[in-house]
């Protein structure tokens, strides 16, 4: 029974008493010049070991002892099995390396494999009507800065609306759809799907298209976003990912944890690309069902890309982009269109249109 | 009061300076951190409460002050309860808020009303579960006081278009520190509002000076983006972001360093006073280094960043003992073995020390 050098605090004041702790025969004894105490060993709670931090023995009555001699305490203290496991895992660098590999794999598994099915399940169960106010609010907010009233001739709008309704009929289970025309020099030729079945198409896109089929091809793609609830899924996936990253990186300063979430941001853009592919595939099936050749989709995609290339592009690499490469999307649509001769013909016509567009009238 | 004093220097009037010291290492903390992370993930977050306690115990047990380390007794189950409530509240807020944006104002209103109570609970939980030399800390601030400081302060800051913000920060930090007690030993804060104004004013100038090029750069780059080769075009949006972030880091480090110095240099108790000598320049270098290191390693260097920041903050802190005093336990909260059944820990409020 070797004495353990320790400090004793009576819990009433901050004075440290240097003592020797003697343990044996079911007793814990503290001995020094001015202290002589004896406790029942079963009533003394020994703090679990943690690295090599000073070890506390909590005594009945509110006093406590602290010692740097962890090895001596370990000889008589019986740790819980889990604490023993923790200490073993924390002691060896090789376990730390294994833990890094497991943590990376688990985070990826959780975000990339675990979340999407859960997100899909929830998104499918949110009533479409619940999304409506969100879509209306977004449309109104965009109206302040980005979207202006359309300047298209009313009969053109009328024709497109009628054809869009036919397309929506063919789409099946997508809920009520509404087509909105807006002028937007700032956004340029574009179309987007807002929650609640609102699809916005810019005048610029309608003007860029050489025929109604091309506009409808883009609209079919947007109906695909509505069909699969992409906005809602994106929101759910985004907030769940943020929660996981916040939980994983935990108690650190916000600016630093922001830096740690960069890889998660890259994952977000991957979902975005997956959604686009899903909407593309939907659009092609829908167009075929409606008797519109998917080559129109390929044609407008190509022209859209040509338009944006001329502008200031951000020069994003593929893994940072929210859309799949246009070549890939085009190939998909052309593949679905089948007839190679017809595509060739379209190509030459496209080139002429592109030359005309190189110097836009406005 | 002095009758129990035994240490050398007891009764003597010579002043001595006590500096905290961190005895842990980044490597050791990394091993604890990664094991914590692993268990947190395989339990889908439930273990995070145990992980937090283990982390706190590691930091407390390795922070040596006046010859003794700190001790933490927070119960993981109490922390888990707090986290579950916070998680549910967040999910409801995020979800309903997305569907009905108007509801966010309702949530914010409820949060504002509950905030003083939550803040006080969290601080009390943390203080009562922290001890040094066998004596527990205590937080004696009341929700009413917290409401006065936070809500009234925020309203004042908004009404004055931000001019009163430094005053709000001054009152907030003074409230946090002076409501803490170590046993029966109280802390007093005497802070000058003008000094806080000065810090924020200089920080504002500094940020504006640094952010001005960041605001002008995109225009310049966009005009000349045609001349840039394709593979460099990312610079048009990355460079301004880097500049804005750098300006933010400089401003943040400056405010952190100077207000922390003001706070501790104005804080004292019976027989002792504190001092702090953080350098804005050093702190800024540490922050920027942290962000670069953490971003480049996908978060793996977080433990290293946490440890080196803490080490520097502790190094800059000191207590000057002018008169040896034996600190007495608060008889109501003295029992060290008592389990803290508190709801607290909604937020991670950590004092500078």
């Amino acid at each position: 029974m070797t004495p353990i050098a320790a400090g004793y605090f009576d819990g009433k004041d901050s004075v440290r008493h240097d003592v020797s702790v003697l343990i044996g025969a079911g007793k814990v004894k503290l001995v020094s010049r001015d202290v002589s105490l004896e406790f029942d060993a079963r009533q003394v709670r020994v703090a679990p070991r943690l690295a090599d931090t000073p070890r506390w023995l909590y005594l009945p009555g509110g006093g406590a002892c602290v010692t740097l001699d962890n090895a001596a305490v370990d000889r008589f203290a019986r740790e819980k099995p889990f604490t023993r496991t923790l200490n073993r895992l924390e002691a060896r660098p090789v376990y730390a390396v294994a833990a890094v590999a497991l943590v990376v794999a688990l985070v990826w598994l959780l975000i990339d494999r675990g979340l999407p099915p859960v997100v899909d399940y929830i998104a499918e169960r949110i009533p479409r009507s619940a999304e409506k106010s969100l879509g209306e609010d977004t449309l109104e907010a965009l109206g302040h800065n980005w979207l202006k009233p359309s300047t298209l001739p009313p009969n053109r709008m009328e024709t497109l609306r009628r054809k869009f309704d036919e397309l929506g009929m063919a789409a099946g289970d997508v809920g009520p759809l509404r087509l909105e025309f807006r002028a937007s020099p700032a956004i340029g030729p574009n179309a987007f799907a807002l929650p609640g079945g609102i699809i916005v198409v810019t005048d610029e896109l309608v003007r860029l298209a050489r025929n109604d089929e091309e506009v409808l091809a883009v609209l079919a793609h947007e109906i695909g976003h509505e069909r699969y609830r992409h906005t809602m899924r994106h929101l759910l996936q985004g907030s769940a990912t943020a929660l996981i990253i916040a939980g994983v990186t935990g108690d650190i300063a916000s600016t630093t944890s922001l830096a740690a979430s960069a890889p998660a941001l890259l994952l977000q853009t991957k979902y975005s690309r997956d959604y686009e592919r899903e909407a593309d595939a939907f659009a092609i099936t829908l167009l075929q069902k409606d008797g519109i050749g998917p080559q129109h989709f390929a044609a407008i995609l190509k022209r859209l890309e040509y338009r944006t290339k001329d502008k200031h592009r951000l020069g994003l690499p593929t893994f940072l982009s929210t859309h799949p490469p246009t070549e890939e999307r085009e190939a998909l649509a052309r593949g679905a269109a089948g007839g190679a001769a017809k595509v060739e013909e379209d190509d030459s016509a496209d080139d002429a249109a592109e030359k005309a567009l190189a110097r836009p009238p406005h | 009061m002095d009758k129990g004093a035994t240490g050398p220097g007891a009764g003597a009037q010579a002043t001595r300076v006590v500096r905290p010291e961190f005895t842990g290492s980044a490597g050791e903390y990394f091993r604890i951190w990664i094991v914590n992370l692993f268990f947190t993930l395989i339990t889908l977050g439930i273990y995070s409460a145990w992980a937090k306690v283990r982390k706190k115990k590691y930091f407390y047990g390795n922070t040596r002050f006046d010859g003794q380390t700190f001790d933490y007794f927070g119960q993981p189950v109490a922390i888990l309860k707090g986290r579950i409530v916070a998680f549910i509240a967040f999910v409801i807020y995020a979800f309903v808020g997305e569907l009905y944006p108007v509801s966010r104002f309702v949530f914010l209103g409820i949060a504002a009303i509950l905030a003083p109570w939550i803040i006080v609970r969290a601080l009390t939980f943390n203080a009562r579960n922290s001890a040094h030399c066998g004596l527990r800390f205590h937080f004696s601030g009341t929700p009413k006081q917290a409401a006065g400081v936070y809500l009234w302060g925020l309203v004042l800051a908004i009404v004055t278009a931000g001019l009163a913000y430094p005053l709000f920060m001054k009152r907030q930090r003074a409230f946090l520190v002076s409501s803490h007690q170590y046993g029966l030993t109280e802390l007093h804060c005497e802070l000058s509002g003008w000094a806080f104004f000065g810090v924020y004013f200089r920080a504002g100038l500094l940020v504006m000076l640094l952010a001005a090029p960041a605001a002008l750069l995109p225009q310049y780059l966009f005009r000349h983006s045609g001349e840039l080769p394709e593979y460099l075009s990312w610079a048009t949006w990355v460079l301004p972001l880097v500049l804005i972030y750098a300006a933010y880091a400089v401003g943040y480090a400056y405010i952190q360093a100077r207000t922390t110095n003001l706070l501790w240099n104005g804080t004292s108790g019976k027989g002792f006073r504190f001092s702090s000598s953080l350098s804005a320049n050093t702190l800024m270098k540490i922050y920027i280094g942290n962000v670069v290191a953490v971003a480049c390693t996908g978060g793996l260097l977080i433990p290293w960043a946490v440890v080196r920041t803490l080490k520097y903050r502790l190094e800059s802190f000191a207590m000057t003992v002018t008169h040896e005093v034996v600190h007495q336990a608060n008889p109501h909260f003295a029992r060290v073995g008592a389990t803290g059944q508190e709801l607290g820990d909604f937020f991670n409020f950590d004092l500078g020390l």
Side-chain angles (χ1 to χ4, degrees):
Chain A
M1 196 162 70
T2 26
I4 306 169
Y8 167 66
F9 298 96
D10 64 8
K12 296 185 186 74
D13 60 40
S14 62
V15 177
R16 178 189 161 112
H17 307 267
D18 288 318
V19 295
S20 294
V21 180
L22 297 153
I23 301 160
K27 297 278 176 208
V28 173
K29 286 181 197 164
L30 311 185
V31 191
S32 78
R33 263 179 304 159
D34 54 341
V35 179
S36 174
L37 295 161
E38 193 179 291
F39 301 96
D40 184 346
R42 281 169 305 181
Q43 287 186 292
V44 175
R45 195 167 65 78
V46 182
R49 179 162 183 172
L50 172 54
D52 211 20
T53 53
R55 198 75 157 275
W56 288 88
L57 312 179
Y58 303 109
L59 308 165
C65 253
V66 65
T67 176
L68 297 172
D69 196 347
N70 267 310
V73 179
D74 284 340
R75 251 174 268 133
F76 74 87
R78 180 178 287 271
E79 295 276 28
K80 286 186 189 139
F82 185 63
T83 313
R84 275 209 302 273
T85 311
L86 278 182
N87 282 318
R88 217 172 303 139
L89 292 178
E90 288 166 358
R92 301 261 308 271
V94 63
Y95 290 128
V97 173
V100 169
L102 282 168
V103 162
V104 171
L106 280 170
V107 169
W108 180 80
L109 210 67
L110 199 64
I111 295 179
D112 195 60
R113 292 295 150 94
L115 271 185
V118 179
V119 163
D120 290 354
Y121 180 88
I122 298 172
E124 289 293 331
R125 267 147 197 83
I126 296 170
R128 291 190 190 271
S129 55
E131 290 180 1
K132 199 149 170 91
S133 62
L134 178 59
E136 298 287 357
D137 289 346
T138 314
L139 186 62
E140 205 196 305
L142 285 169
H144 291 311
N145 291 316
W146 301 98
L147 304 176
K148 311 237 156 4
S150 175
T151 56
L152 289 174
N155 58 338
R156 184 81 200 276
M157 281 199 249
E158 194 47 48
T159 321
L160 283 172
R161 269 219 175 90
R162 193 169 37 80
K163 291 185 175 174
F164 172 78
D165 287 343
E166 279 169 25
L167 199 63
M169 230 59 113
D173 173 36
V174 284
L177 296 170
R178 198 174 92 211
L179 185 60
E180 294 279 346
F181 295 95
R182 292 285 188 278
S184 181
I187 298 175
N190 213 330
F192 39 92
L194 297 176
I198 305 165
I199 290 173
V200 181
V201 59
T202 64
D203 292 2
E204 287 74 8
L205 183 104
V206 176
R207 289 203 184 99
L208 180 69
R210 281 194 297 115
N211 49 43
D212 289 353
E213 281 73 19
E214 288 189 0
V215 181
L216 288 170
V218 173
L219 295 179
H221 170 90
E222 301 306 327
I223 295 175
H225 283 313
E226 297 286 354
R227 163 66 187 86
Y228 296 114
R229 323 284 294 267
H230 283 150
T231 311
M232 192 44 74
R233 277 159 69 184
H234 203 262
L235 281 172
L236 288 171
Q237 180 82 32
S239 28
T241 306
L243 258 184
I244 290 171
I245 296 295
V248 166
T249 52
D251 317 313
I252 54 164
S254 55
T255 46
T256 324
S257 75
L258 207 70
S261 64
L265 204 80
L266 297 185
L267 266 177
Q268 275 303 104
T269 63
K270 175 185 166 293
Y271 297 120
S272 184
R273 290 196 301 278
D274 289 349
Y275 293 159
E276 295 303 330
R277 287 195 181 102
E278 213 173 22
D280 281 352
F282 179 87
I284 288 164
T285 321
L286 179 60
L287 288 172
Q288 281 170 336
K289 216 194 285 180
D290 204 41
I292 300 171
Q295 74 272 14
H296 293 296
F297 190 39
I300 186 91
L301 277 179
K302 190 172 184 192
R303 205 162 314 122
L304 273 168
E305 193 193 38
Y306 190 86
R307 254 303 291 253
T308 38
K309 240 184 200 161
D310 196 43
K311 290 240 166 191
H312 307 293
R313 260 227 306 192
L314 293 180
L316 293 164
T318 315
F319 67 92
L320 269 174
S321 177
T322 53
H323 284 63
T326 308
E327 296 80 32
E328 178 197 319
R329 306 177 68 191
E330 242 189 287
L332 182 78
R334 287 202 192 283
K342 197 167 186 300
V343 172
E344 288 299 327
E345 191 189 305
D346 263 29
D347 257 1
S348 54
D350 273 354
D351 290 343
E354 276 155 13
K355 277 184 194 108
L357 269 163
R359 263 173 234 96
H362 45 86
Chain B
M1 276 285 269
D2 273 341
K3 70 176 166 57
T6 50
Q13 291 306 305
T15 62
R16 66 189 175 97
V17 177
V18 182
R19 286 185 185 281
E21 173 198 3
F22 186 72
T23 56
S25 73
E28 198 173 46
Y29 177 52
F30 178 83
R31 298 200 295 272
I32 292 171
W33 178 80
I34 197 76
V35 171
N36 273 344
L37 215 55
F38 171 70
F39 282 108
T40 300
L41 280 169
I42 59 165
T43 58
L44 296 175
I46 293 167
Y47 187 77
S48 70
W50 280 261
K52 189 198 161 118
V53 169
R54 203 158 174 82
K55 175 203 167 177
K56 280 210 108 155
K57 277 184 185 276
Y58 179 76
F59 280 106
Y60 274 47
N62 275 313
T63 303
R64 188 175 288 279
F65 190 57
D66 204 6
Q68 293 301 319
T69 56
F70 290 83
D71 196 10
Y72 183 71
F73 323 107
Q75 294 293 311
V77 174
I79 292 171
L80 183 66
K81 279 185 202 158
R83 291 202 164 173
I84 289 172
V85 173
F87 178 79
I88 292 170
F90 176 81
V91 168
I92 293 174
Y93 166 78
F95 208 64
V96 180
E98 287 296 348
L99 291 179
Y100 309 100
V102 186
S103 70
R104 295 199 163 182
F105 296 105
V106 179
F107 279 115
L108 287 177
I110 296 171
I113 292 163
L114 286 181
W117 182 79
I118 294 170
I119 289 167
V120 166
R121 292 303 277 184
L123 286 166
T124 310
F125 179 81
N126 189 60
R128 283 219 216 147
N129 285 307
S130 305
H132 188 245
C133 293
L135 295 191
R136 284 182 184 238
F137 288 82
H138 180 54
F139 184 81
S140 61
T142 62
K144 208 173 155 185
Q145 285 173 314
V149 171
Y150 285 90
L151 298 186
W152 177 231
L154 271 181
V155 167
L156 205 68
I158 291 165
V159 166
T160 58
L163 276 179
Y165 185 75
L167 202 68
F168 163 61
M169 287 309 286
K170 178 215 128 177
R171 288 184 58 197
Q172 182 203 330
R173 301 197 82 171
F175 167 70
L176 288 181
V177 169
S178 63
S179 306
H180 271 91
Q181 282 129 37
Y182 171 56
L184 284 175
T185 305
E186 300 194 326
L187 298 174
H188 301 285
C189 275
E190 261 181 59
L191 305 180
S192 143
W194 288 115
F196 270 73
F197 270 116
V199 170
Y200 278 89
F201 182 71
R202 285 190 292 275
L205 281 184
L206 213 59
V207 169
M208 271 195 271
L209 232 88
L210 287 163
L216 296 174
L217 194 66
Q219 289 183 359
Y220 175 81
L221 285 174
F222 271 120
R223 209 172 301 133
H224 297 272
S225 66
E227 296 154 29
L228 276 174
E230 181 94 2
Y231 64 91
L232 272 181
S233 52
W234 53 269
T236 52
W237 60 280
V238 167
L239 270 180
L241 274 184
V242 168
L243 274 178
I244 286 170
Y245 187 82
Y248 169 76
V250 169
Y252 181 77
Y254 183 83
I255 289 172
Q256 275 288 309
R258 292 302 167 91
T259 56
T260 306
N261 289 349
L262 284 177
L263 171 73
W264 290 114
N265 291 335
T267 304
S268 61
K270 204 178 166 207
F272 60 91
R273 60 187 147 78
F274 294 112
S275 59
S276 172
S277 56
L278 284 172
S279 142
N281 198 9
T282 312
L283 204 59
M284 177 197 72
K285 283 180 191 151
I286 289 176
Y287 285 155
I288 292 178
N290 284 354
V291 167
V292 172
V294 168
C296 291
T297 58
L300 282 183
L301 278 183
I302 286 172
W304 171 81
V306 170
V307 165
R308 80 177 189 136
T309 312
L310 179 72
K311 272 191 169 173
Y312 177 64
R313 294 185 73 116
L314 289 178
E315 262 169 37
S316 318
F317 183 86
M319 179 175 85
T320 307
V321 180
T322 49
H323 178 74
E324 295 294 339
V325 169
V326 172
H327 304 283
Q328 303 292 320
N330 185 326
H332 300 294
F333 315 110
R335 276 178 31 95
V336 160
T339 48
Q341 290 294 332
E342 307 281 338
L343 179 68
D345 198 59
F346 277 125
F347 305 108
N348 293 303
F349 278 105
D350 279 320
L351 239 57
L353 183 72

